Amino acid sequence: MASSGVRNGVGPRMSAKPDRQGAGATPKTAAGKHRVSSAGGAGAYRRTSSGPLPAAAGGRAASDGVSSRVRVAVRLRPRNAEELAADADFGDCVELQPELKRLRLRKNNWESETYEFDEVLTDFSSQKRVYEVVAKPVVESVMEGYNGTVMAYGQTGTGKTFTLGRLGEEDTAARGIMVRAMEDILADITPGTDSVSVSYLQLYMEMIQDLLDPVNDNIAIVEDPRTGDVSLPGATVVEVRDQKSFVDLLRVGEAHRVAANTKLNTESSRSHAILMVNVRRSVKGRTEMDVSISGENGLSSSLVGSLRPPIVRKSKLVVVDLAGSERIDKSGSEGHTLEEAKSINLSLSALGKCINALAESSPHVPVRDSKLTRLLKDSFGGTARTSLVVTIGPSPRHRGETTSTIMFGQRAMKVENMVKLKEEFDYKSLCRKLDIELDKLIAENERQRKHFDDEVERIRAEAQCRIAEAERECKITLENKEAESTSNDTGEVHNLLQNEKMLRQSAEDEASDLKNQISHWKKLEATATAEIIKLQKMLDAEASQKEKLEEEIGVLRSQLLQMSMEADETRSLDKGDGPGKIFPGLDSLVSQTRGSQPREQDNGQKQPIAKLFEQVGLQKILSLLESEEPDVRVHAVKVVANLAAEEANQEKIVEAGGLTSLLMLLRSSEDETIRRVAAGAIANLAMNETNQDLIMAQGGVTLLSMTASDAEDPQTLRMVAGAIANLCGNDKLQTRLRVEGGIKALLGMVRCGHPDVLAQVARGIANFAKCESRAATQGNKMGKSLLIDDGALPWIVKNANNEAAPIRRHIELALCHLAQHEVNSKDIINEGALWELVRISRDCSREDIRNLAYRTLTSSPTLEAEMRRLGIKM
């Protein structure tokens, strides 16, 4: 009969030998199942699912989140003493292939199935290796402001608690994920500004109990009706300042966790243990404000202080040690232990249903079937970065449980989370700081006032004492002089009286000065009070302004989204290109924000872009290009691109700083959509000669060249090539364009091979060659073509007879213009371009190009001589 009890926190024994794999092995980026049929050593694999795995610890995420798949690792427990004795004649039911990140499950001696995981950990894998590949990427994400979850799942007795909760007091190499994660967290925080707090709970018989306060044995789950986030306000939260106090907390929690002795495990966990680590980190603010206040008395009192609210990142690491799944006939559970097993299996079954629904993209996920699934709502399909380790045993007797565990991990690998950065302004800290400063000012004012009052009283008492002493001396003197002769005493008495008058006058003047000083300090006190009141009003106005700005941003975002919806409905109705556009395909790039209305509706409705332009204004639209929210920047740049497609708007956009903002986006943004649409907007602005000079002056060609070298998307390359092609048509920019790498960038984009990109490259080369030909004719250019110097001629010859008509037409024009300058003739002949010119003069479908090629051939002495030598007749 199984007996219930309290466990001491020591997990099942596992080998601490070094891992056979290198510690820096890269997790596999594909998940899938392979089926193997063994027949004479030959086998066939069948892949069922795969997908890219995002970086484990990415950079700063956008507020709308980045997709991140659940990472799953499998860990094999070595055989225990019982299995070594009972299964001595049988091989392991699993075979690990860690170098391929595969696991082969034997069904019998002839057939097996192969599964792929993100990481395969052998029975020799060290605790450090397990932590680095399973939990460390999640911990690094938590320190950057993202929520994270690390969870262990598997049959009872396969080493889940050993992997997660081992304290490692006797052997530091055996420390589990909980201890190692807290070591990294405490090493990375700043004690003065950051804080770490933990809660340690267990889910036992569908009741959430506090392992740090056993009296608190039924904690309620509270769900935010606005965001859907779940919290446990009744749980004990302890702030952690050092590693020793954290280990002590784990020891206390493990002592209170429910465990029982079963046939499968002498210390079988009868509850799900949940460790919640809350990390609060301060980040330097982005804005500062200087406040200067003038007093009413003309004196200027400058209070220059930082009124920027601190930015705080709040993230949470959840480590879940699930109770082991078990079969009653194998575990021997009965009585109360049987009821515990039923509760454990029911909660694990509910978790499996949720993961199945998320993996199959079901519209309904039954998260409310169990408290476990409610607590893990953010970990699967939520905003947390999740890593799962499934533990299995090698015994063939438990092949069914091992298969179930492996399939659970396979389904979990299909779950996608949307990780989000948890960042907010700490206005409470700013208010506390201002309150402290206010208290200091008030205390200093009261101290100075008391000092002034004491000084006035002292001076007044001293004056009164001096007056009384003078009167007493005067009286004594008069009495003494009365005994002397009247003639001798009259002069002295007169002098004494004069001195007394002077002393009295001096005392009165001094008292008057003191009164003036008191009045002056009272005015200063009133001025300081007024300054304090003004500071408080400015703080209130700042808070009110913040609320208004947030409301305005919300309205602008709604307008952008509404405009995008209207554009999607109407885009398909417009199949033609607007007048003056460089790219007929720009509408396809910004179709989410622009839709042309049918012609019959032109008099009844304005286009969505025009509506937004009139309602919001150009300055506000351009200000949204600097928004911190990626989706707002994307919509804003698309709106600007559509406005730039109209010639009437281009001058307004440039005057308002729109060109500078677009170039800044091209320089700083890593979002492919933003770079693509920004390049398209610059291409539209580059149709104007004035704008072309501005683009060159602001380093636009260098930025476009850098974008061309980094981008792989054909549509982005097409936009960049089109912008440079427009600049190639300006006679004054030829030399600067070549020096800043414009021609090299054009030729570099032919690597894409996309017809639309090649057409824009060909157009740019044709424009450049035409400008060079015109300059040579006018006598402004003497040397060889810059295109030939940059190696463009071989590509021109190769594509002169391209199947795509737009590419062929531009290449034929470029070749004709190059051949018109006699200094280029030798290169034309050496590269075989002469034969292409002859072909163009005979077979070109356009008569104007055919005639141009003929005139070029007949007007060049060098080319005519070469044709005579080759026997070519015109």
Side-chain angles (χ1 to χ4, degrees):
M1 178 175 178
S3 61
S4 298
V6 178
R7 78 131 133 245
N8 58 11
V10 180
R13 294 185 59 84
M14 300 190 74
S15 173
K17 295 181 181 180
D19 192 359
R20 293 175 181 174
Q21 290 180 313
T26 304
K28 194 166 184 73
T29 59
K33 172 183 174 183
H34 300 264
R35 184 176 185 87
V36 179
S37 298
S38 299
Y45 291 95
R46 177 173 60 86
R47 187 181 300 275
T48 59
S49 65
S50 64
L53 177 63
R60 181 170 177 173
S63 61
D64 277 353
V66 178
S67 179
S68 174
R69 178 175 63 76
V70 174
R71 288 173 45 81
V72 181
V74 61
R75 187 180 193 186
L76 177 66
R77 170 181 60 74
R79 287 196 178 193
N80 54 33
E82 180 186 353
E83 292 170 345
L84 288 173
D87 301 333
D89 297 333
F90 301 94
D92 292 350
C93 66
V94 293
E95 177 186 348
L96 302 186
Q97 298 174 334
E99 65 281 355
L100 300 177
K101 300 191 185 337
R102 292 178 181 170
L103 176 148
R104 177 175 295 177
L105 177 65
R106 294 192 179 94
K107 300 176 68 176
N108 49 47
N109 292 335
W110 302 274
E111 188 176 1
S112 63
E113 290 184 348
T114 300
Y115 302 88
E116 285 188 358
F117 288 91
D118 292 306
E119 194 68 40
V120 174
L121 302 169
T122 67
D123 52 349
F124 299 104
S125 296
S126 65
Q127 290 283 75
K128 179 181 179 182
R129 167 67 176 167
V130 174
Y131 171 74
E132 288 179 347
V133 301
V134 174
K136 189 169 184 178
V138 178
V139 173
E140 290 174 349
S141 293
V142 170
M143 298 309 294
E144 292 176 0
Y146 301 91
N147 288 344
T149 301
V150 179
M151 188 170 72
Y153 177 92
Q155 182 189 9
T156 182
T158 53
K160 298 182 296 302
T161 304
F162 178 87
T163 300
L164 296 182
R166 186 65 177 260
L167 300 182
E169 294 175 304
E170 296 121 7
D171 181 9
T172 56
R175 291 169 300 164
I177 286 176
M178 292 182 181
V179 178
R180 294 177 185 270
M182 184 55 70
E183 286 181 351
D184 284 355
I185 291 174
L186 292 176
D188 196 29
I189 66 170
T190 303
T193 58
D194 304 340
S195 65
V196 179
S197 59
V198 300
S199 299
Y200 201 12
L201 314 165
Q202 70 174 355
L203 179 60
Y204 176 69
M205 300 289 286
E206 281 301 299
M207 289 191 299
I208 301 175
Q209 301 176 353
D210 198 331
L211 292 176
L212 303 180
D213 184 10
V215 178
N216 193 6
D217 60 356
N218 193 8
I219 301 173
I221 299 176
V222 178
E223 185 170 344
D224 190 332
R226 183 174 61 86
T227 63
D229 295 338
V230 296
S231 60
L232 302 170
T236 301
V237 179
V238 180
E239 186 169 353
V240 177
R241 298 188 181 275
D242 55 65
Q243 185 70 12
K244 182 179 180 302
S245 63
F246 174 69
V247 173
D248 292 340
L249 289 175
L250 287 184
R251 189 182 298 108
V252 171
E254 288 297 324
H256 293 141
R257 190 175 176 188
V258 180
N261 182 12
T262 68
K263 292 180 179 179
L264 296 178
N265 190 358
T266 58
E267 291 183 1
S268 175
S269 301
R270 314 310 293 169
S271 66
H272 307 298
I274 303 169
L275 176 68
M276 295 183 177
V277 182
N278 296 289
V279 180
R280 185 180 186 274
R281 307 195 73 183
S282 297
V283 183
K284 185 178 179 183
R286 301 183 180 88
T287 59
E288 292 186 355
M289 179 182 299
D290 290 341
V291 181
S292 180
I293 302 173
S294 297
E296 295 178 356
N297 59 355
L299 296 176
S300 178
S301 174
S302 179
L303 300 177
V304 181
S306 175
L307 293 182
R308 56 182 176 82
I311 298 175
V312 177
R313 288 179 179 172
K314 296 181 179 179
S315 55
K316 179 170 64 175
L317 172 64
V318 180
V319 183
V320 184
D321 180 11
L322 294 174
S325 60
E326 62 183 52
R327 292 187 179 178
I328 306 304
D329 56 342
K330 292 185 178 181
S331 66
S333 299
E334 59 184 21
H336 184 68
T337 308
L338 177 60
E339 296 302 319
E340 292 174 340
K342 289 180 180 178
S343 176
I344 291 170
N345 290 339
L346 282 175
S347 60
L348 293 177
S349 175
L351 178 60
K353 290 179 181 178
C354 290
I355 290 179
N356 287 344
L358 289 169
E360 297 171 1
S361 300
S362 173
H364 172 65
V365 180
V367 295
R368 295 188 176 275
D369 288 358
S370 169
K371 287 186 179 180
L372 177 63
T373 55
R374 292 183 67 189
L375 288 173
L376 298 180
K377 178 180 178 182
D378 193 49
S379 302
F380 292 96
T383 62
R385 190 181 300 279
T386 301
S387 186
L388 170 67
V389 55
V390 294
T391 58
I392 59 175
S395 175
R397 291 181 296 160
H398 304 305
R399 181 182 289 108
E401 291 83 348
T402 301
T403 302
S404 176
T405 300
I406 291 173
M407 295 310 299
F408 180 90
Q410 290 287 294
R411 289 189 293 270
M413 291 177 72
K414 299 180 182 179
V415 177
E416 293 280 347
N417 291 352
M418 190 65 65
V419 297
K420 293 184 179 179
L421 186 66
K422 308 296 182 181
E423 191 175 81
E424 62 186 33
F425 290 109
D426 191 0
Y427 285 100
K428 292 183 179 179
S429 296
L430 179 62
C431 290
R432 286 196 299 270
K433 180 179 177 182
L434 291 177
D435 287 340
I436 292 172
E437 292 295 329
L438 184 61
D439 292 340
K440 287 182 180 179
L441 288 174
I442 293 174
E444 178 65 19
N445 183 55
E446 291 178 352
R447 187 189 65 78
Q448 292 181 359
R449 181 177 178 182
K450 184 176 183 302
H451 174 72
F452 295 149
D453 291 342
D454 293 344
E455 187 69 17
V456 169
E457 288 297 329
R458 185 187 66 79
I459 294 174
R460 181 183 289 114
E462 184 179 348
Q464 289 176 353
C465 290
R466 291 175 64 182
I467 292 171
E469 181 66 22
E471 289 177 349
R472 186 178 64 80
E473 291 180 356
C474 182
K475 183 178 180 181
I476 293 172
T477 303
L478 289 174
E479 289 176 353
N480 292 334
K481 291 301 180 181
E482 286 177 357
E484 297 178 359
S485 62
T486 304
S487 58
N488 295 330
D489 294 342
T490 303
E492 288 186 29
V493 171
H494 181 71
N495 291 335
L496 289 173
L497 288 175
Q498 290 295 330
N499 291 335
E500 178 64 23
K501 289 181 179 179
M502 292 175 64
L503 289 173
R504 184 182 293 273
Q505 183 64 37
S506 175
E508 290 177 354
D509 293 342
E510 190 172 357
S512 177
D513 291 341
L514 289 174
K515 290 180 181 179
N516 292 334
Q517 289 182 15
I518 292 172
S519 175
H520 172 70
W521 285 113
K522 286 183 178 180
K523 289 181 180 180
L524 289 179
E525 179 184 359
T527 301
T529 303
E531 291 176 351
I532 293 170
I533 294 173
K534 288 183 179 180
L535 273 175
Q536 189 65 41
K537 289 182 179 180
M538 291 185 68
L539 181 62
D540 295 340
E542 178 70 16
S544 176
Q545 182 67 16
K546 173 182 173 292
E547 293 179 358
K548 291 180 180 179
L549 289 174
E550 289 178 349
E551 293 176 359
E552 186 174 352
I553 289 173
V555 172
L556 292 176
R557 185 185 300 169
S558 300
Q559 291 175 343
L560 284 172
L561 294 176
Q562 180 63 28
M563 178 273 297
S564 298
M565 294 171 62
E566 294 176 359
D568 288 337
E569 295 175 358
T570 58
R571 177 172 60 84
S572 58
L573 299 176
D574 184 12
K575 300 300 182 179
D577 298 317
K581 289 185 186 174
I582 282 296
F583 307 115
L586 183 59
D587 287 337
S588 65
L589 289 176
V590 292
S591 61
Q592 295 179 355
T593 60
R594 181 181 182 199
S596 299
Q597 299 289 345
R599 292 187 177 180
E600 57 270 18
Q601 297 179 358
D602 281 351
N603 295 330
Q605 294 182 350
K606 294 183 178 180
Q607 293 180 348
I609 300 298
K611 285 183 182 179
L612 186 63
F613 184 59
E614 293 177 358
Q615 294 174 1
V616 178
L618 182 59
Q619 284 294 345
K620 288 187 177 180
I621 295 175
L622 293 177
S623 67
L624 292 178
L625 294 176
E626 302 176 2
S627 172
E628 296 179 2
E629 300 187 18
D631 61 337
V632 175
R633 288 203 307 273
V634 169
H635 286 300
V637 73
K638 290 180 179 180
V639 171
V640 173
N642 279 270
L643 291 172
E646 303 296 336
E647 187 176 355
N649 299 329
Q650 291 181 359
E651 183 178 355
K652 297 177 182 177
I653 291 174
V654 174
E655 289 177 353
L659 176 59
T660 304
S661 298
L662 290 170
L663 292 173
M664 183 64 67
L665 283 177
L666 207 59
R667 176 185 294 109
S668 60
S669 177
E670 297 180 0
D671 187 283
E672 190 66 28
T673 301
I674 292 178
R675 295 203 302 171
R676 179 168 63 247
V677 181
I682 293 171
N684 281 336
L685 293 176
M687 292 187 294
N688 183 285
E689 185 174 349
T690 303
N691 295 342
Q692 290 173 354
D693 294 335
L694 292 175
I695 292 171
M696 295 295 295
Q698 297 184 29
V701 172
T702 303
L703 290 175
L704 290 169
S705 300
M706 293 171 59
T707 304
S709 64
D710 295 341
E712 296 295 337
D713 178 54
Q715 297 303 323
T716 302
L717 293 174
R718 180 166 70 94
M719 294 296 115
V720 174
I724 297 177
N726 287 342
L727 297 174
C728 287
N730 191 323
D731 295 340
K732 298 179 292 183
L733 306 179
Q734 297 285 295
T735 304
R736 288 181 60 190
L737 193 64
R738 189 251 184 147
V739 170
E740 295 183 17
I743 303 303
K744 292 286 187 182
L746 270 179
L747 296 175
M749 284 184 280
V750 303
R751 72 182 186 279
C752 174
H754 195 280
D756 292 342
V757 178
L758 297 180
Q760 295 301 328
V761 172
R763 184 171 69 86
I765 290 175
N767 287 344
F768 198 95
K770 182 177 179 181
C771 290
E772 281 193 327
S773 175
R774 186 161 50 239
T777 302
Q778 296 172 356
N780 297 329
K781 178 175 176 57
M782 303 302 295
K784 190 166 59 175
S785 170
L786 299 179
L787 288 173
I788 295 177
D789 287 342
D790 278 354
L793 188 56
W795 185 82
I796 293 174
V797 174
K798 181 179 177 182
N799 290 271
N801 199 19
N802 194 290
E803 294 180 357
I807 300 174
R808 186 174 64 253
R809 173 168 56 86
H810 290 306
I811 292 297
E812 290 175 348
L813 282 171
L815 196 56
C816 291
H817 288 309
L818 287 174
Q820 284 181 334
H821 196 20
E822 186 67 21
V823 74
N824 299 329
S825 298
K826 272 191 182 179
D827 293 282
I828 294 289
I829 295 170
N830 293 337
E831 293 294 337
L834 177 60
W835 293 100
E836 294 299 331
L837 283 169
V838 173
R839 179 191 60 77
I840 295 169
S841 67
R842 295 173 178 176
D843 303 332
C844 182
S845 59
R846 288 186 47 168
E847 184 178 357
D848 55 340
I849 299 177
R850 195 166 61 245
N851 293 337
L852 178 61
Y854 179 83
R855 290 196 304 271
T856 301
L857 289 171
T858 56
S859 62
S860 171
T862 303
L863 296 181
E864 280 192 322
E866 181 65 15
M867 285 192 296
R868 284 195 300 270
R869 188 182 70 81
L870 297 174
I872 300 174
K873 296 181 180 180
M874 296 300 297

